[in-house]
């Protein structure tokens, strides 16, 4: 079992920045691949970015060049630096993990409770 706890969500104006953090505890063997997802009520959950334990990263086209995902394996933390925020970035952001490489087509099986990001125009 892995417990994931997100923090850092807030309300900001368009063009601003936020830094989300996710702390992992428990069986961190199951955090080989970690990712950030977001969801707006009534819409499908969207993957924002993912990162392997060795640092390989993948970003959604909608956030490339604005968001940066990183992790500290020693501290079992995952971070999402979000710059140049837009109103369409407003969503609940979730941290997730799985024990396989990100490229392996297995669903993320551990999820946090989410942290709300609201961007006003």
């Amino acid at each position: 079992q892995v417990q994931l706890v997100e923090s850092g969500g807030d309300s900001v104006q368009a063009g601003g920045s936020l830094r989300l953090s996710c702390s992992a505890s428990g069986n961190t063997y199951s955090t080989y691949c970690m990712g950030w997802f977001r969801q707006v009520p009534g819409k499908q959950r969207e993957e924002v970015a993912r990162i392997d334990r060795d640092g390989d990263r993948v970003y959604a086209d909608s956030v490339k060049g604005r968001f940066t995902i990183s992790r500290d394996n020693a501290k079992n933390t995952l971070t999402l630096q979000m710059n140049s925020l837009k109103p369409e970035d407003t969503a609940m952001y979730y941290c997730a993990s799985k024990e396989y490489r990100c490229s392996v087509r297995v669903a993320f099986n551990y999820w946090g409770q989410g942290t709300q990001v609201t961007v006003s125009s």
Side-chain angles (χ1 to χ4, degrees), residues 1-2 4 24-35 49-58 69-78 96-104 108 110:
Q1 288 286 341
V2 173
L4 302 173
S25 60
N27 182 7
T28 54
Y29 176 82
S30 297
T31 60
Y32 194 96
C33 174
M34 298 189 76
R50 59 173 64 186
I51 182 170
D52 274 322
R53 186 176 293 274
D54 58 9
D56 286 346
R57 298 167 172 84
V58 177
I69 189 171
S70 60
R71 63 188 292 170
D72 185 328
N73 294 327
K75 295 182 179 179
N76 295 317
T77 57
L78 177 72
S97 76
K98 60 180 178 178
E99 65 186 58
Y100 302 95
R101 286 194 66 87
C102 289
S103 58
V104 175
F108 285 83
Y110 295 103

Side-chain angles (χ1 to χ4, degrees), residues 31-115:
T31 60
Y32 194 96
C33 174
M34 298 189 76
W36 288 100
F37 291 75
R38 64 188 182 187
Q39 189 167 24
V40 176
K43 292 191 175 182
Q44 207 165 11
R45 185 171 58 203
E46 174 191 19
E47 181 177 319
V48 175
R50 59 173 64 186
I51 182 170
D52 274 322
R53 186 176 293 274
D54 58 9
D56 286 346
R57 298 167 172 84
V58 177
Y59 295 95
D61 288 343
S62 59
V63 306
K64 280 181 182 176
R66 300 189 298 121
F67 291 10
T68 301
I69 189 171
S70 60
R71 63 188 292 170
D72 185 328
N73 294 327
K75 295 182 179 179
N76 295 317
T77 57
L78 177 72
T79 300
L80 185 69
Q81 177 66 44
M82 304 187 295
N83 299 327
S84 303
L85 282 161
K86 304 175 181 180
E88 50 264 44
D89 294 319
T90 295
M92 183 71 78
Y93 282 71
Y94 297 91
C95 171
S97 76
K98 60 180 178 178
E99 65 186 58
Y100 302 95
R101 286 194 66 87
C102 289
S103 58
V104 175
R105 292 180 179 265
V106 172
F108 285 83
N109 52 340
Y110 295 103
W111 294 84
Q113 294 298 308
T115 186

